[in-house]
Coordinates of all heavy atoms in Angstrom, one line a residue:
D266 N 122.2 126.3 92.2 CA 122.7 127.4 92.9 C 121.7 127.9 94.0 O 122.1 128.4 95.0 CB 123.1 128.6 92.0 CG 124.3 128.3 91.2 OD1 125.1 127.4 91.6 OD2 124.5 128.9 90.1
S267 N 120.4 127.8 93.7 CA 119.4 128.3 94.5 C 119.3 127.6 95.9 O 118.7 128.1 96.8 CB 118.0 128.3 93.8 OG 117.7 127.0 93.4
V268 N 119.8 126.4 96.0 CA 119.7 125.6 97.2 C 121.0 125.3 97.9 O 121.0 124.7 98.9 CB 118.9 124.3 96.9 CG1 117.6 124.6 96.3 CG2 119.8 123.3 96.1
K269 N 122.1 125.7 97.3 CA 123.4 125.4 97.8 C 123.5 126.1 99.2 O 123.2 127.2 99.4 CB 124.5 126.0 96.9 CG 124.8 125.2 95.7 CD 126.0 125.7 94.9 CE 126.3 124.9 93.7 NZ 127.4 125.4 92.9
G270 N 124.1 125.3 100.1 CA 124.2 125.8 101.5 C 123.0 125.5 102.4 O 123.1 125.7 103.6
R271 N 121.9 125.2 101.8 CA 120.6 125.0 102.5 C 120.1 123.5 102.4 O 119.6 123.0 103.4 CB 119.5 125.9 102.0 CG 119.9 127.4 102.1 CD 118.7 128.3 101.8 NE 118.2 128.1 100.4 CZ 117.0 127.7 100.1 NH1 116.1 127.4 101.0 NH2 116.7 127.5 98.8
F272 N 120.3 122.9 101.3 CA 119.9 121.5 101.1 C 121.0 120.6 101.1 O 122.1 120.9 100.6 CB 119.1 121.4 99.7 CG 117.8 122.1 99.7 CD1 117.4 123.0 100.7 CD2 116.9 121.9 98.6 CE1 116.2 123.7 100.6 CE2 115.7 122.5 98.5 CZ 115.3 123.4 99.5
T273 N 120.8 119.3 101.5 CA 121.8 118.3 101.5 C 121.2 117.0 100.9 O 120.1 116.6 101.4 CB 122.4 118.0 102.9 OG1 122.9 119.2 103.4 CG2 123.4 116.9 102.8
I274 N 121.8 116.5 99.9 CA 121.3 115.2 99.3 C 122.2 114.1 99.9 O 123.4 114.2 100.0 CB 121.3 115.2 97.8 CG1 120.6 114.0 97.3 CG2 122.7 115.4 97.2 CD1 120.3 114.0 95.7
S275 N 121.6 112.9 100.1 CA 122.4 111.8 100.6 C 121.7 110.5 100.1 O 120.5 110.6 99.7 CB 122.5 111.8 102.1 OG 121.2 111.7 102.8
R276 N 122.3 109.4 100.2 CA 121.7 108.1 99.8 C 122.2 107.0 100.7 O 123.2 107.0 101.3 CB 122.1 107.8 98.4 CG 123.6 107.6 98.1 CD 123.8 107.5 96.6 NE 123.3 106.4 95.9 CZ 123.2 106.2 94.6 NH1 123.6 107.2 93.8 NH2 122.7 105.1 94.1
D277 N 121.4 106.0 100.8 CA 121.7 104.8 101.5 C 121.5 103.6 100.5 O 120.4 103.2 100.2 CB 120.7 104.6 102.7 CG 121.1 103.4 103.6 OD1 121.7 102.5 103.1 OD2 120.7 103.4 104.8
N278 N 122.6 103.1 100.0 CA 122.5 102.1 98.9 C 121.9 100.8 99.4 O 121.3 100.1 98.7 CB 123.9 101.9 98.4 CG 124.5 103.1 97.6 OD1 123.7 103.8 97.0 ND2 125.8 103.3 97.6
A279 N 122.1 100.5 100.7 CA 121.6 99.3 101.2 C 120.1 99.3 101.3 O 119.4 98.3 101.2 CB 122.1 99.0 102.7
K280 N 119.5 100.5 101.3 CA 118.0 100.7 101.4 C 117.5 101.1 100.1 O 116.3 101.3 100.0 CB 117.7 101.7 102.5 CG 118.0 101.2 103.9 CD 117.6 102.3 104.9 CE 117.9 101.8 106.3 NZ 117.5 102.8 107.3
N281 N 118.3 101.3 99.1 CA 117.9 101.8 97.7 C 117.1 103.1 97.9 O 116.1 103.4 97.3 CB 117.0 100.8 97.0 CG 117.8 99.6 96.5 OD1 119.0 99.7 96.3 ND2 117.1 98.5 96.3
S282 N 117.7 104.0 98.8 CA 117.0 105.2 99.1 C 117.9 106.4 98.9 O 119.1 106.4 99.0 CB 116.5 105.2 100.6 OG 115.6 104.2 100.8
V283 N 117.2 107.6 98.7 CA 117.9 108.8 98.6 C 117.1 109.8 99.4 O 115.8 109.7 99.5 CB 118.0 109.3 97.1 CG1 116.6 109.5 96.5 CG2 118.8 110.6 97.0
Y284 N 117.8 110.8 100.0 CA 117.1 111.7 100.9 C 117.5 113.2 100.5 O 118.5 113.4 99.9 CB 117.6 111.5 102.3 CG 117.4 110.1 102.8 CD1 118.5 109.2 102.6 CD2 116.2 109.6 103.2 CE1 118.4 107.9 103.0 CE2 116.1 108.2 103.6 CZ 117.2 107.4 103.5 OH 117.1 106.1 103.9
L285 N 116.6 114.1 100.9 CA 116.9 115.5 100.7 C 116.6 116.2 102.0 O 115.4 116.3 102.4 CB 116.1 116.1 99.5 CG 116.4 117.5 99.2 CD1 117.8 117.6 98.5 CD2 115.3 118.1 98.2
H286 N 117.6 116.7 102.6 CA 117.4 117.5 103.9 C 117.4 119.0 103.5 O 118.3 119.5 102.9 CB 118.6 117.2 104.8 CG 118.6 115.8 105.3 ND1 118.1 115.4 106.5 CD2 119.2 114.7 104.7 CE1 118.3 114.1 106.7 NE2 118.9 113.7 105.6
M287 N 116.3 119.6 103.8 CA 116.1 121.0 103.4 C 116.0 121.9 104.6 O 115.2 121.6 105.5 CB 114.8 121.1 102.6 CG 114.7 120.2 101.4 SD 113.2 120.4 100.4 CE 112.0 119.8 101.5
N288 N 116.9 122.8 104.7 CA 116.9 123.8 105.8 C 116.7 125.2 105.3 O 116.9 125.5 104.1 CB 118.3 123.7 106.5 CG 118.6 122.3 107.1 OD1 117.7 121.8 107.8 ND2 119.8 121.8 106.8
S289 N 116.4 126.1 106.2 CA 116.2 127.5 105.9 C 115.3 127.7 104.7 O 115.6 128.4 103.7 CB 117.6 128.2 105.6 OG 118.4 128.1 106.7
L290 N 114.2 127.0 104.7 CA 113.3 127.0 103.6 C 112.7 128.4 103.3 O 112.4 129.1 104.2 CB 112.1 126.0 103.8 CG 112.6 124.5 103.6 CD1 111.6 123.6 104.3 CD2 112.7 124.2 102.1
K291 N 112.5 128.6 102.1 CA 111.9 129.9 101.6 C 110.6 129.6 100.8 O 110.4 128.5 100.3 CB 112.9 130.6 100.7 CG 114.3 130.8 101.3 CD 115.3 131.4 100.2 CE 116.6 131.6 100.8 NZ 117.6 132.2 99.8
P292 N 109.8 130.6 100.7 CA 108.6 130.5 99.9 C 108.9 130.0 98.5 O 108.1 129.3 97.9 CB 107.9 131.9 100.0 CG 108.4 132.4 101.3 CD 109.8 131.9 101.4
E293 N 110.0 130.5 98.0 CA 110.4 130.1 96.6 C 110.7 128.6 96.4 O 110.8 128.1 95.3 CB 111.6 130.9 96.2 CG 111.5 132.4 96.3 CD 111.9 132.9 97.6 OE1 113.1 133.2 97.8 OE2 111.1 133.0 98.6
D294 N 110.8 127.9 97.6 CA 111.1 126.5 97.5 C 109.8 125.7 97.3 O 109.8 124.5 97.1 CB 111.8 126.0 98.8 CG 113.2 126.6 98.9 OD1 113.9 126.6 97.9 OD2 113.5 127.0 100.1
T295 N 108.7 126.3 97.4 CA 107.4 125.7 97.3 C 107.3 125.0 95.9 O 107.4 125.7 94.9 CB 106.2 126.7 97.4 OG1 106.2 127.2 98.8 CG2 104.9 126.0 97.2
A296 N 107.0 123.7 95.9 CA 106.9 123.0 94.6 C 106.6 121.5 94.9 O 106.6 121.1 96.0 CB 108.3 123.1 93.9
V297 N 106.3 120.8 93.8 CA 106.2 119.4 93.9 C 107.6 118.8 93.7 O 108.2 119.1 92.7 CB 105.2 118.8 92.9 CG1 105.2 117.3 93.0 CG2 103.8 119.3 93.2
Y298 N 108.1 118.0 94.6 CA 109.4 117.5 94.5 C 109.4 116.0 94.0 O 108.6 115.2 94.5 CB 110.2 117.5 95.8 CG 110.6 118.9 96.2 CD1 109.7 119.9 96.5 CD2 112.0 119.3 96.2 CE1 110.1 121.2 96.8 CE2 112.4 120.5 96.5 CZ 111.5 121.5 96.8 OH 111.9 122.8 97.1
Y299 N 110.2 115.7 93.0 CA 110.2 114.4 92.4 C 111.6 113.7 92.6 O 112.6 114.4 92.3 CB 109.9 114.5 90.9 CG 108.5 115.1 90.5 CD1 108.4 116.4 90.4 CD2 107.5 114.2 90.4 CE1 107.1 116.9 90.0 CE2 106.2 114.7 90.1 CZ 106.0 116.1 89.9 OH 104.8 116.6 89.6
C300 N 111.5 112.5 92.9 CA 112.7 111.7 93.0 C 113.0 111.1 91.6 O 112.1 110.7 90.9 CB 112.5 110.6 94.0 SG 113.8 109.4 94.2
N301 N 114.3 111.0 91.3 CA 114.7 110.4 90.0 C 115.9 109.4 90.3 O 116.7 109.7 91.1 CB 115.1 111.5 89.1 CG 115.8 111.0 87.8 OD1 117.0 110.8 87.7 ND2 114.9 110.7 86.8
A302 N 115.8 108.3 89.5 CA 116.9 107.4 89.6 C 117.2 106.7 88.3 O 116.3 106.5 87.5 CB 116.6 106.3 90.7
R303 N 118.4 106.4 88.0 CA 118.8 105.6 86.8 C 119.1 104.2 87.3 O 120.1 104.0 88.1 CB 120.0 106.3 86.1 CG 119.7 107.6 85.6 CD 120.8 108.3 84.8 NE 120.5 109.6 84.3 CZ 119.9 109.8 83.2 NH1 119.5 108.8 82.4 NH2 119.6 111.0 82.8
V304 N 118.3 103.3 86.9 CA 118.4 101.9 87.4 C 118.8 100.9 86.4 O 118.5 101.1 85.2 CB 117.1 101.5 88.2 CG1 116.7 102.4 89.2 CG2 116.0 101.3 87.2
R305 N 119.4 99.8 86.8 CA 119.7 98.7 85.9 C 118.8 97.6 86.2 O 118.7 97.1 87.3 CB 121.2 98.4 86.1 CG 121.7 97.3 85.1 CD 123.2 97.2 85.1 NE 123.8 97.1 86.5 CZ 124.0 95.9 87.1 NH1 123.6 94.8 86.4 NH2 124.5 95.8 88.3
T306 N 118.2 97.1 85.1 CA 117.3 95.9 85.3 C 117.7 94.9 84.2 O 118.6 95.1 83.4 CB 115.8 96.3 85.1 OG1 115.6 96.6 83.7 CG2 115.5 97.5 85.9
R307 N 117.0 93.7 84.3 CA 117.3 92.6 83.3 C 117.1 93.0 81.9 O 117.8 92.6 81.0 CB 116.4 91.4 83.7 CG 116.6 90.2 82.7 CD 116.1 89.0 83.3 NE 114.7 89.1 83.8 CZ 114.3 89.1 85.0 NH1 115.2 88.8 86.0 NH2 113.0 89.2 85.3
S308 N 116.1 93.9 81.6 CA 115.8 94.3 80.3 C 116.7 95.5 79.8 O 116.6 95.8 78.6 CB 114.3 94.8 80.2 OG 114.1 95.9 81.0
V309 N 117.6 96.0 80.6 CA 118.5 97.1 80.2 C 119.8 96.5 79.7 O 120.4 95.8 80.5 CB 118.6 98.1 81.3 CG1 119.6 99.2 80.9 CG2 117.3 98.7 81.7
P310 N 120.3 96.9 78.5 CA 121.6 96.4 78.1 C 122.7 96.9 79.0 O 122.6 97.9 79.7 CB 121.7 97.1 76.7 CG 120.3 97.4 76.3 CD 119.6 97.7 77.5
P311 N 123.8 96.1 79.0 CA 125.0 96.6 79.8 C 125.4 98.0 79.5 O 125.5 98.4 78.4 CB 126.0 95.5 79.5 CG 125.3 94.3 79.1 CD 124.1 94.8 78.3
G312 N 125.7 98.7 80.6 CA 126.1 100.1 80.4 C 125.0 101.1 80.2 O 125.3 102.3 80.1
R313 N 123.8 100.6 80.2 CA 122.6 101.5 80.0 C 121.8 101.5 81.3 O 121.8 100.5 82.0 CB 121.8 101.0 78.8 CG 122.5 101.0 77.5 CD 122.9 102.4 77.0 NE 123.3 102.3 75.6 CZ 124.5 102.0 75.1 NH1 125.4 101.6 76.0 NH2 124.7 102.0 73.8

């Protein structure tokens, strides 16, 4: 709720990338930002 209307998340599957466009930034937005992804690899069972 704190970022609705100001931030926009998007992704480019061809590049395996995700983006965060941040507008109208406030001092309260100060933080370390971490990217997260749920990936499928050879060692991960199907559906996991």
Side-chain angles (χ1 to χ4, degrees):
D266 289 340
S267 59
V268 306
K269 283 183 178 178
R271 299 189 298 119
F272 291 10
T273 301
I274 188 171
S275 62
R276 65 191 290 169
D277 186 335
N278 293 328
K280 297 180 178 179
N281 287 337
S282 298
V283 63
Y284 310 93
L285 186 67
H286 297 263
M287 305 183 292
N288 300 310
S289 301
L290 284 162
K291 305 175 181 179
E293 305 91 90
D294 295 317
T295 296
V297 176
Y298 284 70
Y299 297 90
C300 177
N301 172 268
R303 296 182 180 276
V304 305
R305 182 165 57 85
T306 70
R307 178 165 51 246
S308 64
V309 179
R313 304 291 197 277

